[in-house]
Amino acid sequence: ETDFGYHIIKKLGERPVAQFDEVKPTLEAAIKRDSRSQEPRNARIQQVKQMYGYKENPNLEAYLTSQINKHGQYDSTFVYEVLAKSNEPIFTFAKDQKTPVSALVKHLNYKTKLNNESAVGYIMSFVENKGNEVVMNYYADNLIRDDKDYSNLLNEYRDGMLLYEISNRKVWEGASRDTTGLNNYYASNRAKYTWDSPRFKGIILSAKNDSTLQAVQVDLRTMRANSETLDSITMRLHKKYNTDIKMERMTPMAQGENKVVDYLFFNGPQPDGKYPVAFVLDGSLIDQPQELNDVRGQVTSDYQEVLEKRWNDELAAKYPVKINKKVLKQIK
């Protein structure tokens, strides 16, 4: 009901509010077109200008007026013979930084028809944008020197990278490269590295089907009867059967770590996939580690801790730290 009477309305359809992801590009485009989106940037430019003591040349307009009146008119000759050769500053900043009138030439259209007064205003209209451009480029080039927060952040990042690199050399990669030290550490701490359950160590050969597996086993008996080395056996089998078989050299594998090992030694289900049947080509279950390689990962990790402590002790001796307890209590 309205002042004009009753109205009957029929709903023909509906257009629900779109999902944010669908309208995001449209919203972003609208924000970019809105002059308010430039306010943070403009505010930052003004801060930088103030920091550098930016000042426009108060005599610039009078200078341009005298030069164009002297030349007679605004044309290509005035732009490229007068302005392009002028060293008159349009603004100054950062103590000794000056930008001359000649820097405006590339922005000017000499074909524009203007009287002398309008031409001066036209040229002056480029000064502010040119100042913003030059000052912000200078700021970017000198950011490390002039912006303490950025400088500190960059120094922290650099120091962090240096610390990572030297730590990597002395501790993480150092433990892997120091084979003598690693072996000596393992020999001195061998009793520390034990297992609660047996593990398989060796080579497992898997095949695509039973017939291939049986053929491999026949060849294997012949090769072993001829006292062929393990390297020779694996090379010949690989060459003959190619992708019909797969040989895997296993570091010690406990129950639950490998499906094929579980199937052969721990009553696990038969593996599915391309190579469902398998047998042990070389190796067996072992109750405890036999050599460094059987527990290399754990030993290397422990040895890294030893190297890190040793390095920290060296640094502490070289760069002694003295804590001012009175000041520390004040902070707490």
Side-chain angles (χ1 to χ4, degrees):
E1 183 183 10
T2 71
D3 293 340
F4 300 98
Y6 287 94
H7 305 265
I8 298 174
I9 299 173
K10 180 180 180 180
K11 178 181 177 182
L12 300 177
E14 64 181 17
R15 188 191 309 173
V17 176
Q19 295 295 319
F20 175 71
D21 290 342
E22 296 177 17
V23 297
K24 183 179 178 182
T26 304
L27 294 175
E28 288 179 340
I31 290 172
K32 289 178 181 178
R33 290 195 299 269
D34 194 316
S35 61
R36 289 173 294 180
S37 67
Q38 296 299 317
E39 289 181 5
R41 178 178 179 274
N42 293 336
R44 183 57 179 158
I45 291 174
Q46 294 308 313
Q47 289 177 353
V48 173
K49 281 183 171 181
Q50 186 175 1
M51 179 178 73
Y52 286 132
Y54 173 88
K55 290 182 181 179
E56 290 185 5
N57 182 355
N59 301 317
L60 179 61
E61 189 170 357
Y63 168 78
L64 293 173
T65 300
S66 66
Q67 291 298 308
I68 197 168
N69 289 337
K70 182 179 179 180
H71 179 75
Q73 63 180 355
Y74 178 82
D75 54 18
S76 60
T77 304
F78 175 72
V79 172
Y80 292 108
E81 293 296 328
V82 178
L83 297 185
K85 296 178 180 180
S86 174
N87 291 320
E88 181 72 14
I90 53 178
F91 51 78
T92 59
F93 65 98
K95 294 182 179 180
D96 57 350
Q97 296 296 311
K98 298 179 181 180
T99 298
V101 169
S102 57
L104 295 176
V105 168
K106 65 179 181 180
H107 303 288
L108 302 178
N109 181 1
Y110 66 86
K111 295 181 180 180
T112 303
K113 300 297 182 181
L114 299 167
N115 60 40
N116 290 1
E117 183 179 353
S118 298
V120 171
Y122 171 66
I123 298 168
M124 291 292 297
S125 69
F126 291 96
V127 172
E128 182 178 2
N129 286 339
K130 190 64 180 180
N132 295 345
E133 174 193 336
V134 172
V135 170
M136 292 308 289
N137 286 339
Y138 181 85
Y139 174 62
D141 291 340
N142 296 276
L143 196 57
I144 297 176
R145 184 194 68 193
D146 298 334
D147 191 315
K148 291 183 179 179
D149 290 338
Y150 178 77
S151 178
N152 291 336
L153 179 64
L154 198 64
N155 286 335
E156 287 180 15
Y157 180 76
R158 181 199 62 192
D159 293 346
M161 292 296 290
L162 291 173
L163 180 60
Y164 172 83
E165 179 62 25
I166 193 170
S167 298
N168 192 41
R169 292 182 185 182
K170 284 186 166 290
V171 178
W172 305 317
E173 285 188 358
S176 300
R177 290 198 303 264
D178 185 8
T179 54
T180 301
L182 196 63
N183 277 290
N184 291 339
Y185 177 79
Y186 174 65
S188 302
N189 297 273
R190 189 162 187 164
K192 176 180 172 182
Y193 301 100
T194 59
W195 296 329
D196 296 331
S197 59
R199 305 187 180 196
F200 171 75
K201 174 185 176 182
I203 301 174
I204 291 179
L205 188 148
S206 304
K208 286 185 175 181
N209 49 57
D210 289 327
S211 59
T212 301
L213 193 71
Q214 291 171 4
V216 170
Q217 290 174 329
V218 170
D219 288 340
L220 183 59
R221 284 194 290 269
T222 302
M223 293 177 190
R224 284 177 172 165
N226 294 332
S227 300
E228 291 194 34
T229 64
L230 182 61
D231 288 342
S232 173
I233 289 172
T234 56
M235 183 177 65
R236 288 184 60 190
L237 289 176
H238 177 72
K239 185 175 181 180
K240 180 176 180 179
Y241 293 96
N242 203 350
T243 58
D244 288 337
I245 63 171
K246 179 177 68 172
M247 289 177 279
E248 295 179 273
R249 183 179 294 275
M250 307 258 183
T251 55
M253 291 283 180
Q255 185 176 3
E257 293 182 345
N258 183 279
K259 291 182 179 180
V260 181
V261 172
D262 288 351
Y263 166 62
L264 293 175
F265 294 98
F266 302 111
N267 297 318
Q270 184 173 0
D272 52 7
K274 189 175 180 180
Y275 301 97
V277 291
F279 73 96
V280 177
L281 180 64
D282 182 70
S284 62
L285 285 178
I286 56 177
D287 293 325
Q288 297 298 332
Q290 297 174 331
E291 58 181 346
L292 171 61
N293 284 337
D294 295 340
V295 284
R296 177 175 286 274
Q298 186 179 353
V299 175
T300 301
S301 178
D302 292 344
Y303 188 51
Q304 285 171 348
E305 293 183 7
V306 172
L307 292 180
E308 185 172 16
K309 184 179 183 306
R310 187 183 300 167
W311 182 37
N312 287 336
D313 291 343
E314 290 175 1
L315 291 175
K318 188 174 182 179
Y319 306 104
V321 176
K322 185 177 181 180
I323 298 175
N324 190 327
K325 294 183 179 180
K326 290 183 179 180
V327 175
L328 183 60
K329 287 180 180 179
Q330 293 174 2
I331 295 174
K332 290 182 179 179

